[in-house]
Amino acid sequence: PRNRKRIIIAPHHTIMQSTRKALALSNFMRFADFFKKLPSLYPDVEFIFRPHPLLYPTLARKDVWGKEKTDKYFEDIQSLSNMIWQDGGDYFETFANSDGMIHDCGSFVSEYVYTRKPMCFMLDREESIDYNFAKNGADTLRNSYLAYSEDDIRHFIEEVIIKENDYKAEQMASVREQLMLNYPYATDFVMQHLKSCFQIC
C-alpha cells in the first residue's frame, strides 16, 4: 500500500550513432533534461529511474558526454527527493509495484504487458516501430501509449496514471491474450509438446 503513484523511467543505451545503425531505440538525449524536471512537475508522483546497465558507460565515453558530465547527471537524478535510483538487480518486484512505465527498452515491451499496467514508449518517429520490432512487438507498441514529445509524456502521466484513465486498456487486453498464450503454463505446454514428438518418433 502506498499513497503516491509510482512510475518507472527506463531509458535505453543505444544513443551512439554507430550503435543506432543496428538498433535505434534510445531517446535519452532528447529527454535527459526533462527526466530531471519530472519530480518537480509532479511532486505527488514517485519516479523510479532505472537506466539500462549500458547507459552509463555509453554516456561516459569521451566522444559522448564524458565521465564528469555523466557522473553529474546521475548524481542530480539521485538527489531528487521523489526519484528513486535503481541500478541493476531483479526488476520483477519493481514492475509489480509500479503504476506505469515510460521507456524505450525493447525487451520491456513484452515483459511489462504481463503487469496489466499501462506503458508509454518513447519514439523519435513512427517508422521506427516497423524498423526495430517484429510483428508482436509492433502490435504491442501500436496499442500502447507513444511519446514523441515531452507533451506526450506529460499526457501519459496526467491522464493515464494520475487520473487513471487508461483508455487503451481494452486494446491491450487483446494484445495480452496473444502474448500470454498458455500463461502461466507455457513451459508445461512446451514440455508436453516435446514429449509427444518423442513418442511419435
Side-chain angles (χ1 to χ4, degrees):
R2 50 191 158 77
N3 297 322
R4 297 196 291 185
K5 297 290 185 185
R6 182 178 290 168
I7 302 173
I8 302 167
I9 299 173
H12 204 246
H13 70 93
T14 48
I15 60 175
M16 295 295 294
Q17 188 62 40
S18 58
T19 305
R20 289 177 63 88
K21 289 177 183 175
L23 188 69
L25 292 181
S26 181
N27 290 271
F28 176 79
M29 292 303 208
R30 292 171 53 219
F31 295 116
D33 290 335
F34 184 60
F35 291 151
K36 291 199 296 184
K37 295 175 185 175
L38 286 175
S40 60
L41 291 171
Y42 304 100
D44 294 328
V45 173
E46 188 174 77
F47 294 94
I48 297 176
F49 190 80
R50 187 184 175 88
H52 189 285
L54 294 177
L55 182 60
Y56 177 88
T58 302
L59 288 171
R61 288 176 51 153
K62 290 180 181 178
D63 56 340
V64 187
W65 274 4
K67 188 177 185 304
E68 186 177 341
K69 183 175 179 178
T70 303
D71 286 343
K72 177 68 167 61
Y73 181 87
F74 284 108
E75 285 168 11
D76 289 346
I77 287 287
Q78 292 175 58
S79 70
L80 299 167
S81 61
N82 55 325
M83 180 82 86
I84 298 170
W85 168 264
Q86 200 171 79
D87 185 18
D90 189 351
Y91 55 84
F92 296 124
E93 184 177 349
T94 302
F95 276 18
N97 291 317
S98 66
D99 295 292
M101 179 164 63
I102 301 165
H103 73 109
D104 50 13
C105 290
S107 61
F108 288 172
V109 170
S110 295
E111 290 179 290
Y112 198 71
V113 169
Y114 281 71
T115 67
R116 295 178 167 81
K117 297 168 185 176
M119 68 174 163
C120 178
F121 195 85
M122 298 175 287
L123 291 164
D124 57 349
R125 61 192 185 282
E126 188 177 353
E127 293 76 25
S128 61
I129 294 176
D130 290 320
Y131 182 78
N132 289 309
F133 292 91
K135 184 181 185 305
N136 279 349
D139 289 346
T140 303
L141 285 180
R142 287 201 170 87
N143 289 283
S144 302
Y145 299 94
L146 302 177
Y148 301 98
S149 66
E150 294 179 8
D151 287 341
D152 291 335
I153 293 175
R154 294 196 64 165
H155 173 81
F156 175 75
I157 293 171
E158 293 167 13
E159 190 66 30
V160 182
I161 303 299
I162 295 175
K163 294 181 182 177
E164 299 182 357
N165 179 22
D166 185 4
Y167 52 89
K168 291 195 173 188
E170 193 172 318
Q171 296 169 231
M172 282 302 293
S174 61
V175 171
R176 193 178 300 114
E177 284 181 24
Q178 296 296 317
L179 289 177
M180 296 174 67
L181 187 65
N182 299 312
Y183 177 81
Y185 306 108
T187 305
D188 292 337
F189 180 84
V190 171
M191 289 299 295
Q192 292 304 319
H193 177 72
L194 290 174
K195 286 178 182 178
S196 68
C197 289
F198 286 124
Q199 289 171 354
I200 293 170
C201 296

